[in-house]
Amino acid sequence: MPGQAPTAGEAIIDREGLQALLDALSARGFSVIGPRVRDEAIVYEAVREVADLPEGWTDRQDGGHYRLERRKDRALFGYAVGPHSWKRFLFPPQQRLWRAQRTGAGFAILEEAPPLDRWAFLGVRACELRALAIQDRVFLGGSHPDRSYAERRRGLFIVALQCGEPSGTCFCVSMEAGPKAASGFDLALTELLSPGSHRFLVEVGSPAGEEILGAIPHRPAGAADRREADALLASTASRMGRSLDTRGIRELLQDHPEHPRWQEVAARCLACANCTMVCPTCFCSTVEDHTTLTGEGAERTRLWDSCFTLDFSYLHGGSVRKEIRSRYRQWMTHKLSTWFDQFGSSGCVGCGRCITWCPVGIDLTEEARAIRASLPEPTHA
Ligand code: SF4
Ligand code: SF4
């Protein structure tokens, strides 16, 4: 809230302090993953120096549109989110699960070794923290936790970023998933840029974060720093590119499986699955088995899959969801409606990636709005 005093433990670091943070994480054995410019997009890759970060870049996003542009300042985190999400590290797009080796009359199963890397994620937005929490629920909740995900998640250090730059497709405010990161991080940075000053307000979220902050040069934050950070967050919240009316959305979608809008969107949808690949919460996968030509070995690989492919719903005798209409309906209804029944929350955090990276610019906020607008109020108000 504007005018609020800094919380005890809030500190200020400058650009050199940010490099010291990277060095301190590295010295503790973390591989730091953060934003970098590659192939004309901001992606998540290994980061060793502040110079690796996308200094002075921003992204312009809209339905089916993503372009990097130069900023007028030297912001290091002055963009929204790109095509990558953090799920690619915790739930890799392609991952060998096990190998089998023939041994005389039988065979031995060779378990995959857990990854050696301990990761520190740098620049995690509030919506992405919410997505991590959703994937935690999917992979770690219930009676059969995913061992690989658990091993990768364990020991993760998270440096969140309080969001100062929403994109044209963001709607985290509607999903109550941002722009402020309130928990789920070890440290949280707010990038504060003003003439002659480039600094970061640091919030501590865990004992591990406190230990790291203690190891790098910093100074206490003042009330003016906190005011500036609050103003930045308020500005971000007011500049969302999209919005979604979530009132009664669970029933709105579940109650209208035959709405003509599903056919209208199917006429535009290419069933390319881009939306599910970029989504930070989508978790569907398939497995492939391969054997060597000699028959001495075999292995099983897990790959990301999508409810948009015909094969995904293949049961004996054929696919359940033959039409694109039913595949789009399945995806959007799961995200915004039946996810509540399954996991107790929405499956969407409002990051906007599925809108930006859809080659034909299909926008789930627009689809939900169209269905709602066609129905008499107050059925789903
Ligand atoms: S459904 Fe779209 S906006 Fe929602 S979390 Fe997934 S990619 Fe982001
Ligand atoms: S909604 Fe867009 S991104 Fe998703 S499958 Fe259809 S065409 Fe591809």
Side-chain angles (χ1 to χ4, degrees):
M1 284 162 47
Q4 204 177 8
T7 313
E10 286 189 341
I12 294 290
I13 62 172
D14 51 24
R15 274 178 74 110
E16 288 69 39
L18 188 59
Q19 182 60 54
L21 173 60
L22 297 179
D23 295 341
L25 289 167
S26 182
R28 284 158 181 74
F30 290 103
S31 299
V32 181
I33 307 292
R36 297 186 74 141
V37 174
R38 183 167 62 76
D39 299 336
E40 300 181 33
I42 291 171
V43 298
Y44 297 146
E45 289 185 342
V47 166
R48 289 180 189 81
E49 301 174 358
V50 170
D52 294 334
L53 299 172
E55 179 172 342
W57 286 104
T58 192
D59 45 16
R60 291 277 167 258
Q61 302 192 40
D62 204 341
H65 179 91
Y66 179 96
R67 292 286 182 280
L68 288 189
E69 288 181 5
R70 275 291 176 193
R71 295 173 60 94
K72 292 189 175 70
D73 58 29
R74 297 182 62 197
L76 295 166
F77 298 96
Y79 58 90
V81 291
H84 281 184
S85 70
W86 304 99
K87 81 175 179 184
R88 66 187 296 102
F89 300 97
L90 304 178
F91 166 47
Q94 180 170 346
Q95 181 185 11
R96 188 165 63 196
L97 298 177
W98 49 259
R99 287 178 297 139
Q101 197 69 45
R102 193 182 285 281
T103 54
F107 61 89
I109 297 288
L110 309 172
E111 297 280 353
E112 282 301 296
L116 297 175
D117 282 330
R118 283 175 70 212
W119 284 304
F121 291 169
L122 172 68
V124 184
R125 310 281 166 145
C127 63
E128 299 183 302
L129 285 173
R130 180 66 63 84
L132 279 170
I134 289 172
Q135 289 225 316
D136 286 351
R137 169 71 184 83
V138 170
F139 286 108
L140 304 179
S143 51
H144 298 287
D146 187 277
R147 200 188 66 182
S148 160
Y149 184 94
E151 284 164 348
R152 289 160 186 271
R153 184 71 165 93
R154 196 177 301 129
L156 182 66
F157 190 96
I158 294 180
V159 183
L161 183 85
Q162 302 293 10
C163 194
E165 196 64 66
S167 85
T169 56
C170 288
F171 57 103
C172 65
V173 169
S174 300
M175 304 316 292
E176 298 180 357
K180 180 171 173 53
S183 62
F185 55 79
D186 296 291
L187 294 173
L189 308 178
T190 309
E191 185 169 26
L192 301 175
L193 261 170
S194 50
S197 168
H198 191 178
R199 64 201 194 285
F200 297 87
L201 177 73
V202 187
E203 296 162 69
V204 173
S206 74
E210 192 170 7
E211 190 275 323
I212 292 269
L213 180 62
I216 64 175
H218 66 275
R219 59 184 186 277
D225 300 312
R226 174 37 69 195
R227 270 198 303 276
E228 203 175 321
D230 289 339
L232 185 72
L233 275 166
S235 163
T236 303
S238 71
R239 290 183 289 130
M240 293 282 113
R242 296 290 200 274
S243 65
L244 177 66
D245 182 353
T246 58
R247 289 171 305 150
I249 195 150
R250 182 169 163 272
E251 295 74 22
L252 178 76
L253 299 181
Q254 281 188 29
D255 293 353
H256 298 94
E258 300 304 329
H259 194 282
R261 187 73 187 189
W262 300 122
Q263 191 54 50
E264 286 176 37
V265 70
R268 289 175 279 136
C269 176
L270 309 172
C272 68
N274 265 17
C275 48
T276 53
M277 298 295 112
V278 294
C279 179
T281 66
C282 276
F283 58 85
C284 288
S285 63
T286 186
V287 291
E288 284 183 359
D289 292 340
H290 298 278
T291 50
T292 60
L293 287 175
T294 60
E296 289 301 306
E299 62 182 42
R300 172 164 290 183
T301 304
R302 178 165 74 178
L303 304 135
W304 286 358
D305 202 352
S306 169
C307 52
F308 279 93
T309 69
L310 184 60
D311 281 354
F312 187 74
S313 67
Y314 187 91
L315 297 176
H316 53 87
S319 293
V320 174
R321 289 187 282 273
K322 292 188 176 64
E323 300 170 339
I324 293 179
R325 166 181 168 273
S326 55
R327 284 179 247 158
Y328 188 87
R329 181 182 61 199
Q330 156 67 25
W331 176 72
M332 185 167 144
T333 305
H334 190 209
K335 281 283 150 199
L336 299 174
S337 177
T338 51
W339 206 291
F340 283 99
D341 304 332
Q342 195 176 7
F343 299 117
S345 74
S346 172
C348 174
V349 298
C351 72
R353 286 181 177 90
C354 57
I355 305 170
T356 298
W357 296 95
C358 172
V360 290
I362 291 172
D363 175 346
L364 78 171
T365 68
E366 188 185 321
E367 298 311 316
R369 194 173 296 116
I371 293 174
R372 188 186 293 278
S374 71
L375 300 170
E377 286 277 3
T379 311
H380 290 99

